[in-house]
Amino acid sequence: QSVLTQPPSVSGAPGQRVTISCIGSSSNIGAGYDVHWYQHLPGTAPKLLIHGNSNRPSGVPDRFSGSKSGTSASLAITGLQTEDEAVYYCQSYDSSLSPWVFGGGTKLTVL
Amino acid sequence: QVQLVQSGSELKKPGASVKVSCKASGYHFTSYAMNWVRQAPGQGPEWMGWINTNTGNPTYAQDFTGRFVFSLDTSVSTAYLQISSLKVEDTAVYYCAREIPTGTSNWFDPWGQGTLVTVS
């Protein structure tokens, strides 16, 4: 059972927009700690997608955006492409548990 | 470019030990902490702990004390994870990940490609 809650799966057609939620609690996201997002293709290294809630590292397309409000955060992907099919994880800091906590992951399927 | 390259998959019997390596390149190895993350089959990632690459001092998450040991060889920019007295439930993919420090907003970049450890 992951500390941060994500939907197991989302899907969308090419060109559409999808969002992935990451729900935390008062000891992590709700306490104001930042949320980071990773994209993971099977058999490869997870890749940093968003850091500090909404900041894209160099090279990450602006189709990916992040936001945070209250005890939850969201990753939005616009203009879906087939290469976006992956598992997406959120991560944050928790003041009462192991400092670094993750979501269970959301598998994105591009129909 | 900055990258972490891990050792290959391992198949071990219960009670055996395994040592996973994580070789860093493209940056000054001792300038960033190295973390270890476990991902069991069908589960989300779980933070195992970190090692201070300057001092070699490890810190373990509560669930990873006793049988898990983090170590370094700074001469070859490599971090190691050793697991002893392996159990079937240790079957997982183990990742190393460089920690980018900002206080309580740290993130991990890059990650290694993962090492599958199968205990059977």
Side-chain angles (χ1 to χ4, degrees), chain A residues 33-34 36 38 40 44-46 48 51 89 91 93 98-100 102-104, chain B residues 35 39 43-45 47 61 95 99 103-109 111-113:
Chain A
Y33 298 116
D34 287 347
H36 319 294
Y38 303 90
H40 190 199
T44 69
L48 178 68
H51 65 85
Y89 296 98
Q91 175 238 321
Y93 176 89
S98 289
W100 310 118
F102 292 89
Chain B
N35 287 246
Q39 187 163 24
Q43 305 295 315
W47 182 75
Y95 295 95
E99 183 176 341
T104 56
S105 180
N106 299 1
W107 60 85
F108 304 114
D109 182 45
W111 295 55
Q113 83 278 17

Side-chain angles (χ1 to χ4, degrees), chain A residues 36-107:
Chain A
H36 319 294
W37 292 90
Y38 303 90
Q39 178 189 58
H40 190 199
L41 297 161
T44 69
K47 172 189 169 187
L48 178 68
L49 205 60
I50 297 284
H51 65 85
N53 306 316
S54 58
N55 301 293
R56 282 186 311 276
S58 172
V60 173
D62 60 7
R63 302 185 296 104
F64 296 90
S65 63
S67 62
K68 190 187 88 165
S69 178
T71 57
S72 67
S74 290
L75 173 70
I77 310 171
T78 58
L80 270 180
Q81 301 180 3
T82 53
E83 56 261 38
D84 298 334
E85 276 207 348
V87 180
Y88 294 83
Y89 296 98
C90 57
Q91 175 238 321
S92 186
Y93 176 89
D94 193 289
S95 59
S96 65
L97 302 169
S98 289
W100 310 118
V101 292
F102 292 89
T106 299
K107 179 173 173 51

